[in-house]
């Protein structure tokens, strides 16, 4: 498992635009941080014709050539970037997934993780369904096929009412584009306008990149149909469910230039840094952030503590996804390759080092060592989230509490293990306050263990894969 948490997927869709596949291509570039293992686009060439699909392994820039995009002709398209939780990381599981339902073509692009997928798959196989992939999204396709013989929309809704967990979905048929967000709204999804057309994307940064204008978020539990008569909205669940969007999107996953539920992610992170300075003050000379995701929080800390913000670490931006994570005993080498300390900034300084989270602790320990070797006098680690103690079953690649340094340990024990002179975490209340609410308004399960969608005894894993990632 990576020492950093990874978001699993980004999705987008464009309806009724002459350059649909080009806009999707740009939107996928903007969503690249949400998945770097595969990318794909499915396009509708027109009413009555099956969707065309192009997918590949790698970054968006590696998967698509200009000719590939030119070939994907049509006024409506959906796209996907994947890191992948449920299902192996092979091309077979790359998305969009395109299936034939009787005589109709349906494309699906999914961000999230369905926690009852294994059970549903067993039931479906028992009654004759044959699966092509190990992805949980295919479970949704088979459920839709079962109920959607007459009407795809009713089939999709019936399928969504049976799955549990996290999903932000964009789906395409030649006649309509659909978007759906699970009743808790765990993963983000927003809607925009581009020219005469409409666009759906995981984050608003994709709308900006595609030259679109933000219209609104897709609401938790909302099912949207977009067709030539406009936007039509329905509820997925008949019950009232309390929304619980993932608070970690604010802390780390989303891009700082995105807005989630009206809050700008950079500004929320800056507030997290300010709260850290208020709650865990320390006498220090400089504040620094672990690049890139913690820079907003570190600037907030520096401003609130009235100490200079300095670039204490420089990150090598050209380490690709093929970078082989070394084993723990060589972890320092991997960190040296990724980060270089600015000796002149940190030498003899008391440094506040702000990071968004500590997952395994190996990187934090290596960074503290790196800065001390560069001459820092003291390292005060400040984390802009609470201790990460519980695995996430909703589409983030944490597997078991054994992978998490904070599971079963006190803050003092963690501090000792990472070698910092002091360690301070933000509380759940402060994190959710910075994001504009209180703990009950968000999913905070990886900190609190309170899972908004109850997980099974096995930890809610719906993983159908046998491969493990480092
Ligand atoms: Fe987000 Fe944590 Fe909830 Fe997963 S468990 S959805 S990472 S807040």
């Amino acid at each position: 498992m990576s020492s950093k948490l990874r978001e699993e997927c980004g999705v987008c869709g464009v309806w009724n635009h002459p350059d649909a596949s080009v806009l999707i291509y740009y939107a996928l570039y903007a969503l690249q941080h949400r998945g770097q293992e595969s990318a794909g686009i499915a396009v509708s060439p027109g009413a009555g014709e099956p969707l065309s699909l192009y997918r590949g392994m790698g970054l968006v820039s590696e998967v698509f050539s200009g000719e590939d995009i030119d070939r994907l002709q049509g006024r409506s398209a959906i796209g996907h970037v994947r890191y992948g939780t449920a299902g192996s990381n092979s091309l077979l599981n790359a998305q969009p997934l395109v299936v034939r339902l009787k005589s109709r073509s349906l494309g699906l692009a999914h961000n999230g993780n369905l926690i009852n997928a294994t059970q549903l798959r067993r039931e479906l196989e028992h009654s004759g369904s044959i699966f092509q992939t190990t992805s949980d999204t295919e479970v949704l396709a088979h459920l839709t096929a079962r109920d959607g013989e007459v009407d795809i929309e009713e089939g999709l809704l019936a399928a969504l009412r049976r799955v549990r967990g996290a999903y932000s979905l964009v789906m395409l048929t030649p006649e309509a584009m659909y978007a759906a967000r699970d009743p808790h709204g765990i993963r983000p999804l927003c809607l925009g306008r581009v020219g005469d057309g409409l666009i759906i994307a995981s984050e608003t940064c994709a709308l900006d990149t595609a030259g679109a204008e933000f219209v609104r978020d897709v609401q938790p539990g909302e099912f949207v149909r977009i067709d030539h008569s406009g936007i039509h909205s329905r509820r997925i669940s008949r019950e009232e469910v309390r929304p619980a969007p993932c608070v970690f999107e604010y802390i780390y996953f989303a891009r700082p230039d995105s807005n989630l539920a009206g809050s700008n992610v950079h500004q929320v992170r800056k507030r997290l840094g300010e709260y850290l300075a208020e709650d865990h003050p320390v006498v220090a000379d400089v504040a620094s952030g672990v690049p890139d995701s913690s820079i907003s929080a570190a600037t907030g800390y520096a401003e609130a503590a009235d100490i200079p913000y300095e670039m204490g670490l420089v990150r090598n931006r050209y380490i690709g996804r093929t970078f082989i994570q070394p084993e723990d005993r060589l972890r320092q080498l991997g960190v040296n390759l990724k980060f270089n300390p600015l000796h002149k900034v940190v030498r003899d300084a008391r440094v506040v080092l702000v990071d968004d989270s500590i997952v395994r602790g190996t990187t934090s320990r290596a960074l503290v060592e790196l800065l001390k070797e560069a001459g820092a006098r003291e390292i005060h680690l400040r984390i802009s989230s609470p201790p990460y103690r519980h695995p996430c079953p909703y589409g983030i690649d944490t597997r078991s509490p054994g992978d998490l340094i904070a599971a079963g340990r006190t803050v003092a024990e963690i501090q000792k293990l990472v070698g910092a002179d002091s360690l301070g975490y933000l509380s759940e209340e402060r994190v959710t306050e910075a994001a504009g609410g209180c703990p009950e308004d968000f999913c905070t399960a990886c900190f609190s263990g309170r899972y908004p969608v109850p997980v099974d005894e096995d930890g809610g894993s719906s993983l159908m894969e046998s491969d493990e990632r480092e």
Side-chain angles (χ1 to χ4, degrees):
M1 195 185 83
S2 163
S3 60
K4 212 64 192 162
L5 297 169
R6 292 200 237 187
E7 178 63 70
E8 302 308 338
C9 299
V11 296
C12 53
V14 167
W15 175 259
N16 190 32
H17 194 284
D19 301 312
S21 58
V22 176
L23 295 185
I24 292 287
Y25 176 67
Y26 281 116
L28 291 181
Y29 254 105
L31 297 172
Q32 187 77 84
H33 61 291
R34 297 184 76 87
Q36 295 99 46
E37 281 185 1
S38 67
I41 297 177
V43 66
S44 168
E49 290 193 56
L51 305 184
S52 320
L53 174 67
Y54 190 86
R55 302 179 298 186
M57 299 303 290
L59 301 170
V60 175
S61 58
E62 296 165 326
V63 171
F64 301 101
S65 66
E67 292 81 51
D68 297 328
I69 299 296
D70 286 346
R71 272 195 297 273
L72 291 167
Q73 286 293 325
R75 292 185 70 87
S76 301
I78 58 173
H80 191 268
V81 283
R82 180 173 191 270
Y83 178 70
T85 319
S88 71
N89 52 14
S90 67
L91 182 58
L92 208 57
N93 283 317
Q95 292 192 19
L97 181 69
V98 173
V99 292
R100 298 278 296 173
L101 299 186
K102 295 287 170 189
S103 57
R104 280 165 298 181
S105 194
L106 169 70
L108 299 102
H110 173 205
N111 174 208
N113 192 40
L114 307 179
I115 64 172
N116 62 341
T118 306
Q119 180 210 329
L120 289 171
R121 181 181 169 122
R122 264 189 228 118
E123 285 173 29
L124 285 159
E125 282 178 333
H126 198 68
S127 55
S129 297
I130 296 168
F131 282 75
Q132 310 288 326
T133 76
T134 56
S135 123
D136 57 345
T137 313
E138 197 184 351
V139 171
L140 202 57
H142 278 278
L143 286 175
T144 306
R146 174 161 299 197
D147 295 309
E149 291 185 10
V150 181
D151 185 320
I152 278 195
E153 182 170 328
E154 295 310 320
L156 280 170
L157 268 167
L160 292 173
R161 286 175 182 145
R162 289 200 63 196
V163 298
R164 294 196 302 119
Y167 55 83
S168 278
L169 283 156
V170 185
M171 298 154 289
L172 185 65
T173 68
E175 292 77 31
M177 182 165 82
Y178 302 92
R181 199 168 166 205
D182 67 80
H184 293 281
I186 293 174
R187 300 276 150 244
L189 199 62
C190 61
L191 169 69
R193 199 170 287 287
V194 57
D196 293 333
L198 291 158
I199 179 168
I200 299 274
S202 293
E203 292 184 37
T204 61
C205 66
L207 268 46
D208 298 338
T209 305
E213 182 196 332
F214 173 79
V215 173
R216 66 176 177 88
D217 288 317
V218 175
Q219 294 304 308
E222 186 180 6
F223 179 87
V224 180
R225 185 181 84 240
I226 295 169
D227 59 21
H228 288 297
S229 63
I231 304 171
H232 311 270
S233 174
R234 296 173 71 179
R235 301 300 303 165
I236 295 167
S237 171
R238 296 179 185 104
E239 298 149 29
E240 273 306 307
V241 178
R242 197 182 183 116
C246 168
V247 79
F248 227 81
E249 293 280 351
Y250 294 86
I251 297 164
Y252 169 64
F253 298 133
R255 249 173 59 160
D257 51 337
S258 284
N259 299 328
L260 299 171
S263 296
N264 170 252
V265 171
H266 160 73
Q267 287 178 331
V268 171
R269 288 182 190 162
K270 221 174 150 194
R271 258 195 311 274
L272 294 173
E274 289 162 11
Y275 291 173
L276 265 176
E278 287 168 18
D279 297 355
H280 299 284
V282 66
V283 178
D285 303 303
V286 292
S288 236
V290 177
D292 295 321
S293 54
S294 304
I295 288 173
S296 302
T299 55
Y301 189 103
E303 277 177 27
D306 200 19
I307 55 175
Y309 170 80
E310 284 283 5
M311 197 192 286
L313 289 165
V314 172
R315 182 164 166 255
N316 183 341
R317 290 168 200 280
Y318 301 100
I319 298 182
R321 79 207 139 75
T322 50
F323 170 61
I324 300 161
Q325 289 283 355
E327 295 165 23
D328 278 356
R329 72 192 164 81
L330 297 175
R331 182 71 62 175
Q332 187 71 46
L333 275 181
V335 170
N336 289 358
L337 184 63
K338 273 192 193 163
F339 299 102
N340 201 19
L342 263 87
H343 291 67
K344 292 209 167 162
V345 168
V346 301
R347 189 172 297 135
D348 291 328
R350 293 164 298 183
V351 179
V352 171
L353 182 64
V354 180
D355 204 352
D356 46 70
S357 54
I358 306 181
V359 184
R360 284 156 53 114
T362 44
T363 300
S364 306
R365 187 166 63 229
L367 285 175
V368 170
E369 266 175 46
L370 194 67
L371 289 168
K372 288 221 160 166
E373 276 167 19
R377 197 147 35 106
E378 294 169 11
I379 303 294
H380 301 280
L381 199 51
R382 295 293 178 269
I383 307 300
S384 59
S385 61
Y388 196 105
R389 293 202 158 100
H390 307 274
C392 172
Y394 309 132
I396 305 303
D397 73 329
T398 47
R399 299 297 170 88
S400 70
D403 289 325
L404 307 172
I405 192 173
R409 288 197 179 90
T410 64
V411 173
E413 287 168 335
I414 302 166
Q415 178 194 331
K416 207 165 159 205
L417 281 171
V418 299
D421 293 280
S422 74
L423 171 63
Y425 283 94
L426 268 190
S427 68
E428 206 189 320
E429 288 72 23
R430 290 294 254 170
V431 167
T432 50
E433 183 188 339
C438 62
E440 290 67 40
D441 297 327
F442 296 93
C443 174
T444 60
C446 45
F447 315 126
S448 63
R450 292 191 308 276
Y451 289 94
V453 186
V455 288
D456 306 331
E457 276 172 12
D458 66 356
S461 170
S462 69
L463 304 180
M464 291 174 275
E465 63 191 313
S466 54
D467 63 330
E468 286 290 327
R469 275 188 308 270
E470 175 50 33

